Amino acid sequence: MGKYVLKRIGYMILVLFILSILMFLIYNLLPSNRAYTDARTDMNAMKQMLRDKTDEEKEQKFQELYLEYQRRYGTDTKNMAVRYLRWVGLAPKYYGGYDGLLQGNFGYSQELKDDVINVVKEPMKNTIFINIFATVVALAITIPLGITCAVHKGSKGDQAVQVGTIIGYSLPSFIICIVFIWIFCSLLGWFPPSGMKTPGSNYTGWAWFKDRMYYLALPLITMTFCSLGGMTRYVRASMIDALSMDCIRTARAKGVKEKVVIYSHAWRNALIPVVTLVVGWFIGIFGGSLMFENIFGYNGMGKLMIQSLRTADSDVIILLQLFYVAVSLLGNLIIDLVYGLVDPRVRVSA
């Protein structure tokens, strides 16, 4: 197992390395130049000091500032290999220091005027909070519901659930968001349509938590509802297959209690296909929900990604995409390892 994990980690590093090169080359084709922008900003700030200078002297001063910023940011060469190594932190910059990803320098947001790591911190906390909450609630509902529908296959309750899950699964998520806003905000007036806290409030402790949950209630309800359809049907189908196995019929013929048959024998066999979806859900909490966060005005990773794409904030975009790639690779490894924990018959080999 240890050898297999090390081998997979090696593959993950290789894939991440190749994709980082591709992303770096793509985003260096964008018409943005931080060194040029900062040099021009400094020139505007020194307008009064340079008012007696000739145009040639002003241009010379600008070129000096431009070159200084290029050397500071590691873009003073057209050699893309050198620039990539500087960006990663494997090659020194002009003045001899290493200042790249490996040293904790994840770039600078031109739009928000702050380091990317500071820009990402708060949205990531918000995204993890709301997605973990919604995922746990959805699993607490869908797993028992799917098992019950499989055990009572064909009953009226099963048929009603199937109709409801088909509707929930078929409707686009943005339509469900709009309908829920209309019902809970416009008609009933129970929840606010967007935002994360009461405007102008500065609550702490329990008051802060209640205010936060008041604003998060509608997004959580909507996200949970959108997750019910697919997961319930998935658990139901897996349990139906498991309940038709020969070992289940044998256990029932031996007089094993029905609860033991369902939750000990059948559920363990049904977990193999379900675990892929469940682990994928948990891994996906870091990516954010683009649709939900934008509709409900929630400051999360998905909303930050959309804003960065609209403003061509390349340093933020490339860091978020590298993060998503790393999380996806890690998620695939976790899924393979969980298979072995769920079913001892599954073994991995190097």
Side-chain angles (χ1 to χ4, degrees), residues 139-159:
L139 290 176
I141 296 173
T142 55
I143 290 178
L145 187 60
I147 293 174
T148 303
C149 291
V151 172
H152 302 285
K153 178 184 175 183
S155 64
K156 291 184 179 180
D158 177 45
Q159 293 175 2

Side-chain angles (χ1 to χ4, degrees), residues 31-269:
S32 61
N33 191 328
R34 182 183 174 188
Y36 181 90
T37 302
D38 289 349
R40 185 58 65 188
T41 301
D42 286 357
M43 286 295 294
N44 292 333
M46 295 187 296
K47 186 176 292 185
Q48 293 297 324
M49 296 173 57
L50 300 174
R51 65 179 182 274
D52 297 330
K53 302 292 184 179
T54 63
D55 290 341
E56 290 77 8
E57 290 174 328
K58 291 180 180 178
E59 180 62 24
Q60 182 181 0
K61 180 63 177 177
F62 170 75
Q63 292 299 330
E64 291 175 358
L65 290 171
Y66 183 35
L67 180 60
E68 175 65 24
Y69 278 114
Q70 282 183 310
R71 290 172 174 174
R72 184 183 302 178
Y73 300 145
T75 58
D76 55 304
T77 176
K78 293 183 178 181
N79 189 324
M80 296 304 293
V82 173
R83 290 175 63 173
Y84 171 78
L85 292 175
R86 288 176 173 178
W87 175 67
V88 174
L90 296 175
K93 294 185 178 179
Y94 180 82
Y95 295 109
Y98 291 82
D99 187 25
L101 295 178
L102 297 178
Q103 288 76 39
N105 180 10
F106 297 103
Y108 184 82
S109 171
Q110 293 286 354
E111 183 68 19
L112 301 175
K113 306 301 179 185
D114 197 359
D115 291 335
V116 172
I117 191 66
N118 296 327
V119 171
V120 171
K121 276 183 182 179
E122 192 63 27
M124 182 175 290
K125 290 179 183 178
N126 295 333
T127 290
I128 292 175
F129 176 81
I130 191 172
N131 278 277
I132 285 182
F133 204 116
T135 301
V136 170
V137 172
L139 290 176
I141 296 173
T142 55
I143 290 178
L145 187 60
I147 293 174
T148 303
C149 291
V151 172
H152 302 285
K153 178 184 175 183
S155 64
K156 291 184 179 180
D158 177 45
Q159 293 175 2
V161 171
Q162 293 311 300
V163 171
T165 55
I166 289 175
I167 295 174
Y169 187 73
S170 302
L171 284 176
S173 57
F174 72 91
I175 295 294
I176 296 176
C177 291
I178 294 173
V179 170
F180 275 40
I181 290 175
W182 174 64
I183 294 174
F184 291 103
C185 301
S186 299
L187 294 182
L188 301 176
W190 288 356
F191 306 116
S194 64
M196 294 182 60
K197 66 174 186 177
T198 302
S201 65
N202 193 22
Y203 299 126
T204 58
W206 178 246
W208 171 86
F209 180 77
K210 289 194 299 181
D211 184 68
R212 183 74 175 270
M213 293 308 299
Y214 174 65
Y215 276 83
L216 288 184
L218 186 57
L220 285 171
I221 292 172
T222 309
M223 292 176 67
T224 302
F225 181 84
C226 291
S227 303
L228 294 180
M231 189 61 183
T232 302
R233 296 180 66 82
Y234 214 95
V235 173
R236 177 182 179 274
S238 297
M239 279 295 295
I240 289 174
D241 290 340
L243 288 170
S244 64
M245 297 173 66
D246 292 337
C247 61
I248 302 300
R249 286 194 289 268
T250 302
R252 283 172 170 166
K254 287 182 177 181
V256 179
K257 292 182 179 180
E258 187 66 14
K259 286 186 177 181
V260 176
V261 171
I262 294 172
Y263 295 104
S264 181
H265 298 285
W267 176 236
R268 288 292 299 274
N269 286 284

